[in-house]
Amino acid sequence: AAAAAAAEEEAQRFGEVCTALASARCALRVLCLGECTRYDRSKGLVRCKRAWLHVILVEWERLRALTEALKANSTLTTLELSGVHGGGVGLLAAALQSHPALQRIRFHRSVLGLNDVAQLVAALKSNTRVHNIGFPRCIFIGTAWDVLADYLKASTAISELNLYGSRAKEQFFSDLLCFCNSLTKLYLPDVRLCAYGAQMLAAALRVNHHLAELNITYNSIGDEGARYIGEALQANDTLAVLNLEDNGITAKGVESICAALHLNVALSSIDLGDNAIGERGADFVCHMLRINHTLTALFLSGTSPTPVGAAKICMQLSERHTMTQLGLSFFDFSEECVPHICRALAANPLQLLVLRGNALGDGDARMLTTALVENCTLRHLDLRCGNTFTDVGVAYLASAVSFHPSLQSLLICNRNSETGKAMIADAIAKRRRFRRKTATSLLLGNHWRAGANSSLQAVPTDILRTLTRLVFKAMAVPEVMYCNEGTQLAAGCCCAKVPTLYI
């Protein structure tokens, strides 16, 4: 009975999808049909712009209905489908061929035969608006892969390609970089790439002048493969993002990569996560950070640099002024690391900071919140998994939510404390009220006033006492501001007409 009810609910949900797609009032831009359901039910599916729905596309009737709905749709830009079997891809290709807005297509865990790929290739040749395609964990039957490979190598429209879990030969990946001149982003996670495959990729990178992002995570290139990639980076002048996570690289391989970054001025982001670099590898990273001035994003999560190596890297990061993204989860944090990270947070225009699994506590939360007073750029802060905050630590982080001008997401673990949840909810509510204010306001202390009718919650008083300097943004405020203790503050140094002053 439960299975029958679930099947009926899924059939109803699929009917809603087709109805919404064919509707003239459809607002859908992103549609993902797979193993989860997530969309704004209050709006209804027709008015949503993004929707993820649990729908299994193995029945021929459903595929036919979806094809007809797509032919009537003119708004969808992204389509992701999971579990398409039995010629379903070829059937859907008829709708993709003439769709006026579609730009991104993904087929997850699907089975594609020769006829499917032939029809899909014909549709992609006809519809040049589609520039982003992917086949994560797909199975190609017979010579279907060869047909797709020939199209991809000759394509002039595809700029982003995802081949997660592909079992293609290494020669294909190399040919792709050599012949597909439109390709700017290539994702090859878990494609069983070894040192030989890395050597072939590296040879292609030396002559490639269009690829901007390369992801080869979850492979086994090892130190030898890292050496080949490092040599290619010295000659490449276009690659900006490189992801080498979980590739069996040790300190020897990190030395090759860091040596290349002494000369490379194009790479701005590198991920070496889940590679056991040790303290010796940490020394190579520190030396690279002292010389390289173009790197803005660094991810070293799970690299086991030892507490001494972690402290060295954190100290080096605190001396930079260009970092925008840092990933240091499960990073062997010591007591010295958090103060260095706080200085880095204040000195760099960081937008993303990930510190999961570092055994942070309430005192660390207090230092991070103090550093956020001087940082106006952070958007995402992740403190989950292995960081234990009581309600005291959550109170500090909640204050950061209420006063920080750009923070969009804060992920913390508070052991399901209702008090902590209430504090975060209250901070979000105060932040929303603050955003609706039109009067000029100054954030400093518990309650600052700009006139008699304007007050808001900001930084706790004990954090205010720890500040050693005030950071002024060029914004217009009244001549005199009053804090809750009645102290006056002159603000004659401000000039631009912006409604809020952050200190």
Side-chain angles (χ1 to χ4, degrees), residues 210-248:
H210 46 265
L211 194 71
E213 182 174 348
L214 176 63
N215 185 322
I216 53 174
T217 59
Y218 314 130
N219 287 292
S220 304
I221 67 171
D223 292 336
E224 185 181 358
R227 178 170 62 84
Y228 293 131
I229 296 295
E231 292 171 354
L233 288 176
Q234 296 183 31
N236 184 279
D237 58 355
T238 58
L239 193 67
V241 180
L242 177 62
N243 194 332
L244 298 173
E245 183 182 358
D246 195 7
N247 263 284

Side-chain angles (χ1 to χ4, degrees), residues 392-469:
V392 175
V394 173
Y396 286 119
L397 296 171
S399 69
V401 172
S402 65
F403 76 77
H404 199 276
S406 58
L407 194 62
Q408 297 177 4
S409 68
L410 171 63
L411 305 177
I412 58 176
C413 181
N414 187 225
R415 294 184 179 179
N416 299 318
S417 168
E418 295 301 325
T419 305
K421 291 179 182 177
M423 285 189 287
I424 293 293
D426 184 54
I428 292 173
K430 289 172 181 174
R431 180 188 178 93
R432 288 172 178 168
R433 288 200 299 272
F434 163 67
R435 284 182 172 180
R436 289 198 296 267
K437 289 181 180 295
T438 56
T440 303
S441 302
L442 174 68
L443 274 71
L444 182 63
N446 278 340
H447 291 80
W448 282 81
R449 295 197 307 273
N453 299 321
S454 176
S455 65
L456 51 96
Q457 187 77 15
V459 192
T461 306
D462 61 334
I463 290 182
L464 177 62
R465 295 195 187 100
T466 66
L467 296 181
T468 57
R469 67 190 181 98

Side-chain angles (χ1 to χ4, degrees), residues 23-336:
S23 172
R25 299 181 293 108
C26 180
L28 274 173
R29 299 291 185 274
V30 178
L31 177 62
C32 305
L33 303 182
E35 300 176 351
C36 67
T37 297
R38 186 172 80 252
Y39 67 96
D40 191 346
R41 297 179 185 275
S42 63
K43 290 184 177 181
L45 198 55
V46 174
R47 291 188 294 168
C48 281
K49 292 186 178 181
R50 298 170 178 266
W52 289 257
L53 293 103
H54 184 282
V55 173
I56 305 302
L57 297 171
V58 294
E59 298 179 7
W60 189 260
E61 292 77 9
R62 288 188 179 181
L63 291 169
R64 189 180 297 278
L66 180 61
T67 301
E68 296 301 321
L70 286 172
K71 288 180 179 179
N73 178 271
S74 61
T75 63
L76 203 65
T77 60
T78 299
L79 178 63
E80 297 192 13
L81 306 174
S82 294
V84 181
H85 300 166
V89 175
L91 182 63
L92 290 167
L96 306 180
Q97 186 168 0
S98 58
H99 198 284
L102 202 61
Q103 300 175 9
R104 183 175 184 267
I105 303 173
R106 288 283 188 279
F107 293 101
H108 296 267
R109 298 181 181 275
S110 300
V111 178
L112 290 81
L114 179 59
N115 187 52
D116 290 316
V117 172
Q119 294 186 52
L120 179 62
V121 167
L124 292 173
K125 288 180 178 179
S126 176
N127 188 348
T128 56
R129 286 179 292 272
V130 178
H131 60 82
N132 184 336
I133 61 173
F135 303 92
R137 299 292 186 187
C138 285
I139 298 175
F140 294 87
I141 300 176
T143 58
W145 174 255
D146 297 330
V147 175
L148 180 63
D150 291 340
Y151 162 73
L152 291 173
K153 286 187 287 188
S155 174
T156 58
I158 301 302
S159 62
E160 186 171 337
L161 178 62
N162 188 327
L163 296 175
Y164 190 117
S166 170
R167 295 297 175 256
K169 295 180 179 179
E170 291 90 345
Q171 184 64 48
F172 165 72
F173 303 133
S174 177
D175 291 346
L176 198 60
L177 292 181
C178 291
F179 299 114
C180 185
N181 295 325
S182 62
L183 196 65
T184 59
K185 297 182 180 181
L186 179 60
Y187 302 96
L188 301 175
D190 192 20
V191 294
R192 297 182 181 178
L193 207 63
C194 59
Y196 173 71
Q199 183 181 13
M200 301 195 71
L201 270 181
L205 281 174
R206 289 192 186 95
V207 298
N208 182 289
H209 300 288
H210 46 265
L211 194 71
E213 182 174 348
L214 176 63
N215 185 322
I216 53 174
T217 59
Y218 314 130
N219 287 292
S220 304
I221 67 171
D223 292 336
E224 185 181 358
R227 178 170 62 84
Y228 293 131
I229 296 295
E231 292 171 354
L233 288 176
Q234 296 183 31
N236 184 279
D237 58 355
T238 58
L239 193 67
V241 180
L242 177 62
N243 194 332
L244 298 173
E245 183 182 358
D246 195 7
N247 263 284
I249 300 173
T250 65
K252 185 177 180 181
V254 170
E255 181 181 11
S256 303
I257 297 295
C258 291
L261 293 183
H262 293 171
L263 304 174
N264 185 289
V265 295
L267 201 70
S268 61
S269 174
I270 188 167
D271 190 339
L272 294 170
D274 292 329
N275 292 297
I277 67 173
E279 185 177 346
R280 184 163 170 263
D283 290 335
F284 293 132
V285 172
C286 289
H287 184 55
M288 178 270 294
L289 289 173
R290 283 192 290 269
I291 296 175
N292 182 287
H293 299 289
T294 59
L295 200 67
T296 60
L298 179 64
F299 300 92
L300 298 171
S301 298
T303 50
S304 305
T306 74
V308 175
K312 290 179 181 178
I313 292 176
C314 292
M315 182 175 67
Q316 195 61 48
L317 289 171
S318 69
E319 298 175 1
R320 291 179 67 91
H321 302 281
T322 59
M323 304 304 297
T324 60
Q325 299 182 50
L326 283 179
L328 303 175
S329 299
F330 302 97
F331 197 60
D332 294 344
F333 261 37
S334 63
E335 293 181 356
E336 303 174 15

